[in-house]
Amino acid sequence: MKLRNLVLAVAALLILAATGITTKIYLSQDRQIFPRTVNTIPAPNPNLSPFEHLAIATPDVQTLNGILFPVKTASPTLIIAFGGNAHDVVGLATFLKNDVFPKDNVATAGLSYRGYPNVLGIPSTGTPTEVLVKQDALTIYDTLQKRIHPVRTYAIGYSLGSAVATHLALNRPLAGLILVAPPAS
């Protein structure tokens, strides 16, 4: 009888421990996916490519902050960058503009996810979630279409940004989608 009670007590403790661990993981999943610890990068050099701070308001009154490398030519191409979960999207947009697409007719933009800082020192407001980050991608696209009037728009997603860029491609017309190091699942 004592052995049976001991086995039942140990089994109950194991079930309780497993339930506690599972609950902790479930409740902390947003913090794990969106850690808001951003890699350290140097500030963009305006002598290489002139840029401006870009702020876009969301429908729920948050502000997405980032960078825009504008163009002064008619019929520009637009590149929208979506960074990884611990990367500064300003660095990604700067790399894309200066090293990958340095042409005068290519505008490049990258905005920090909600709650994320950036090297420009102006973090986006709010708290990131999967649903809100995807909605923000549509807001970014719509705002930049009205402002720049590009003839072609491409989305580039790095790591976690691959899911955001893919969501954009499913919901808005793009000339192309580039995924860099997308998650396997």
Side-chain angles (χ1 to χ4, degrees):
M1 190 61 101
K2 284 185 176 183
L3 182 60
R4 182 175 182 247
N5 288 341
L6 179 63
V7 170
L8 288 174
V10 170
L13 283 174
L14 289 174
I15 290 170
L16 186 61
T19 302
I21 291 169
T22 303
T23 301
K24 181 180 179 184
I25 291 170
Y26 175 78
L27 294 175
S28 66
Q29 65 186 340
D30 278 348
R31 285 190 308 277
Q32 292 176 26
I33 294 170
F34 303 108
R36 287 175 264 175
T37 302
V38 177
N39 60 331
T40 305
I41 61 163
N45 182 348
N47 295 326
L48 287 176
S49 297
F51 66 87
E52 60 188 64
H53 164 252
L54 178 61
I56 294 179
T58 65
D60 63 340
V61 197
Q62 297 298 323
T63 303
L64 305 174
N65 288 292
I67 195 165
L68 173 65
F69 294 93
V71 295
K72 295 180 179 166
T73 60
S75 304
T77 295
L78 172 62
I79 307 293
I80 304 174
F82 296 98
N85 70 342
H87 290 90
D88 191 325
V89 73
V90 169
L92 176 59
T94 301
F95 167 73
L96 292 172
K97 178 60 184 171
N98 292 334
D99 298 323
V100 182
F101 305 105
K103 297 181 180 181
D104 291 336
N105 68 334
V106 177
T108 306
L111 288 108
S112 298
Y113 299 128
R114 292 169 183 246
Y116 274 60
N118 61 56
V119 73
L120 298 178
I122 310 167
S124 293
T125 62
T127 302
T129 67
E130 178 186 356
V131 170
L132 292 174
V133 169
K134 288 178 176 179
Q135 289 174 354
D136 292 345
L138 304 178
T139 300
I140 291 166
Y141 176 93
D142 295 342
T143 302
L144 291 173
Q145 293 301 306
K146 291 175 188 170
R147 177 173 175 180
I148 297 174
H149 304 288
V151 292
R152 286 175 300 286
T153 301
Y154 296 87
I156 297 179
Y158 173 74
S159 190
L160 174 89
S162 296
V164 182
T166 300
H167 177 77
L168 178 61
L170 291 170
N171 291 280
R172 296 293 188 270
L174 293 175
L177 173 66
I178 301 169
L179 307 178
V180 181
S185 63

